mmCIF file of all heavy atoms in Angstrom:
data_model
loop_
_atom_site.group_PDB
_atom_site.id
_atom_site.type_symbol
_atom_site.label_atom_id
_atom_site.label_comp_id
_atom_site.label_asym_id
_atom_site.label_seq_id
_atom_site.Cartn_x
_atom_site.Cartn_y
_atom_site.Cartn_z
ATOM 1 N N TYR O 273 -4.268 57.696 29.116
ATOM 2 C CA TYR O 273 -4.756 57.086 30.353
ATOM 3 C C TYR O 273 -5.821 56.048 30.003
ATOM 4 O O TYR O 273 -6.732 56.329 29.211
ATOM 5 C CB TYR O 273 -5.356 58.181 31.231
ATOM 6 C CG TYR O 273 -5.709 57.772 32.638
ATOM 7 C CD1 TYR O 273 -4.719 57.482 33.568
ATOM 8 C CD2 TYR O 273 -7.042 57.701 33.047
ATOM 9 C CE1 TYR O 273 -5.038 57.134 34.869
ATOM 10 C CE2 TYR O 273 -7.376 57.356 34.339
ATOM 11 C CZ TYR O 273 -6.375 57.071 35.252
ATOM 12 O OH TYR O 273 -6.694 56.728 36.538
ATOM 13 N N PRO O 274 -5.722 54.820 30.521
ATOM 14 C CA PRO O 274 -6.709 53.781 30.178
ATOM 15 C C PRO O 274 -8.122 54.218 30.522
ATOM 16 O O PRO O 274 -8.393 54.611 31.661
ATOM 17 C CB PRO O 274 -6.266 52.590 31.034
ATOM 18 C CG PRO O 274 -4.831 52.829 31.330
ATOM 19 C CD PRO O 274 -4.696 54.320 31.445
ATOM 20 N N LYS O 275 -9.022 54.144 29.561
ATOM 21 C CA LYS O 275 -10.363 54.688 29.763
ATOM 22 C C LYS O 275 -11.185 53.910 30.788
ATOM 23 O O LYS O 275 -12.119 54.463 31.383
ATOM 24 C CB LYS O 275 -11.110 54.760 28.437
ATOM 25 C CG LYS O 275 -11.365 53.404 27.782
ATOM 26 C CD LYS O 275 -12.103 53.573 26.459
ATOM 27 C CE LYS O 275 -12.393 52.233 25.793
ATOM 28 N NZ LYS O 275 -13.134 52.406 24.512
ATOM 29 N N MET O 276 -10.844 52.636 31.019
ATOM 30 C CA MET O 276 -11.619 51.815 31.953
ATOM 31 C C MET O 276 -10.976 51.693 33.329
ATOM 32 O O MET O 276 -11.542 51.071 34.230
ATOM 33 C CB MET O 276 -11.806 50.406 31.368
ATOM 34 C CG MET O 276 -12.888 50.295 30.314
ATOM 35 S SD MET O 276 -14.539 50.435 31.044
ATOM 36 C CE MET O 276 -14.604 48.915 32.026
ATOM 37 N N ILE O 277 -9.811 52.285 33.528
ATOM 38 C CA ILE O 277 -9.033 51.996 34.728
ATOM 39 C C ILE O 277 -9.761 52.385 36.016
ATOM 40 O O ILE O 277 -9.702 51.660 37.009
ATOM 41 C CB ILE O 277 -7.637 52.666 34.663
ATOM 42 C CG1 ILE O 277 -6.759 52.194 35.832
ATOM 43 C CG2 ILE O 277 -7.748 54.176 34.617
ATOM 44 C CD1 ILE O 277 -5.309 52.642 35.714
ATOM 45 N N ASP O 278 -10.484 53.486 36.009
ATOM 46 C CA ASP O 278 -11.143 53.943 37.235
ATOM 47 C C ASP O 278 -12.325 53.066 37.618
ATOM 48 O O ASP O 278 -12.764 53.071 38.767
ATOM 49 C CB ASP O 278 -11.600 55.398 37.076
ATOM 50 C CG ASP O 278 -10.423 56.355 36.967
ATOM 51 O OD1 ASP O 278 -9.369 56.062 37.571
ATOM 52 O OD2 ASP O 278 -10.545 57.383 36.273
ATOM 53 N N VAL O 279 -12.840 52.326 36.666
ATOM 54 C CA VAL O 279 -13.918 51.369 36.942
ATOM 55 C C VAL O 279 -13.349 49.974 37.160
ATOM 56 O O VAL O 279 -13.722 49.265 38.098
ATOM 57 C CB VAL O 279 -14.941 51.344 35.778
ATOM 58 C CG1 VAL O 279 -15.976 50.240 35.989
ATOM 59 C CG2 VAL O 279 -15.605 52.697 35.626
ATOM 60 N N ALA O 280 -12.435 49.574 36.284
ATOM 61 C CA ALA O 280 -11.952 48.194 36.283
ATOM 62 C C ALA O 280 -11.114 47.848 37.502
ATOM 63 O O ALA O 280 -11.321 46.801 38.132
ATOM 64 C CB ALA O 280 -11.146 47.929 35.011
ATOM 65 N N VAL O 281 -10.152 48.697 37.848
ATOM 66 C CA VAL O 281 -9.245 48.346 38.939
ATOM 67 C C VAL O 281 -9.974 48.189 40.271
ATOM 68 O O VAL O 281 -9.792 47.174 40.961
ATOM 69 C CB VAL O 281 -8.079 49.352 39.035
ATOM 70 C CG1 VAL O 281 -7.280 49.122 40.315
ATOM 71 C CG2 VAL O 281 -7.166 49.198 37.820
ATOM 72 N N PRO O 282 -10.822 49.139 40.693
ATOM 73 C CA PRO O 282 -11.534 48.924 41.962
ATOM 74 C C PRO O 282 -12.396 47.666 41.966
ATOM 75 O O PRO O 282 -12.442 46.936 42.964
ATOM 76 C CB PRO O 282 -12.397 50.188 42.090
ATOM 77 C CG PRO O 282 -11.701 51.208 41.279
ATOM 78 C CD PRO O 282 -11.108 50.463 40.128
ATOM 79 N N ALA O 283 -13.069 47.397 40.846
ATOM 80 C CA ALA O 283 -13.893 46.187 40.766
ATOM 81 C C ALA O 283 -13.034 44.932 40.810
ATOM 82 O O ALA O 283 -13.359 43.957 41.497
ATOM 83 C CB ALA O 283 -14.728 46.212 39.489
ATOM 84 N N ASN O 284 -11.918 44.946 40.079
ATOM 85 C CA ASN O 284 -11.077 43.760 40.014
ATOM 86 C C ASN O 284 -10.329 43.487 41.313
ATOM 87 O O ASN O 284 -9.952 42.343 41.586
ATOM 88 C CB ASN O 284 -10.102 43.882 38.843
ATOM 89 C CG ASN O 284 -10.820 43.847 37.506
ATOM 90 O OD1 ASN O 284 -11.934 43.338 37.409
ATOM 91 N ND2 ASN O 284 -10.206 44.399 36.477
ATOM 92 N N MET O 285 -10.110 44.497 42.100
ATOM 93 C CA MET O 285 -9.521 44.283 43.423
ATOM 94 C C MET O 285 -10.467 43.507 44.329
ATOM 95 O O MET O 285 -10.058 42.904 45.318
ATOM 96 C CB MET O 285 -9.165 45.621 44.071
ATOM 97 C CG MET O 285 -8.025 46.366 43.387
ATOM 98 S SD MET O 285 -6.421 45.526 43.504
ATOM 99 C CE MET O 285 -6.061 45.754 45.256
ATOM 100 N N LEU O 286 -11.757 43.508 43.961
ATOM 101 C CA LEU O 286 -12.766 42.806 44.749
ATOM 102 C C LEU O 286 -13.320 41.594 44.010
ATOM 103 O O LEU O 286 -14.496 41.255 44.142
ATOM 104 C CB LEU O 286 -13.898 43.771 45.123
ATOM 105 C CG LEU O 286 -13.506 44.948 46.012
ATOM 106 C CD1 LEU O 286 -14.672 45.916 46.163
ATOM 107 C CD2 LEU O 286 -13.052 44.447 47.376
ATOM 108 N N CYS O 287 -12.489 40.966 43.187
ATOM 109 C CA CYS O 287 -12.892 39.733 42.494
ATOM 110 C C CYS O 287 -13.894 40.012 41.371
ATOM 111 O O CYS O 287 -14.681 39.159 41.013
ATOM 112 C CB CYS O 287 -13.478 38.736 43.497
ATOM 113 S SG CYS O 287 -13.565 37.030 42.925
ATOM 114 N N GLY O 288 -13.892 41.209 40.835
ATOM 115 C CA GLY O 288 -14.782 41.522 39.724
ATOM 116 C C GLY O 288 -16.077 42.128 40.199
ATOM 117 O O GLY O 288 -16.107 43.255 40.701
#
Side-chain angles (χ1 to χ4, degrees):
Y273 189 70
K275 64 181 181 179
M276 281 288 293
I277 188 171
D278 293 329
V279 174
V281 170
N284 293 338
M285 292 294 289
L286 297 173
C287 197

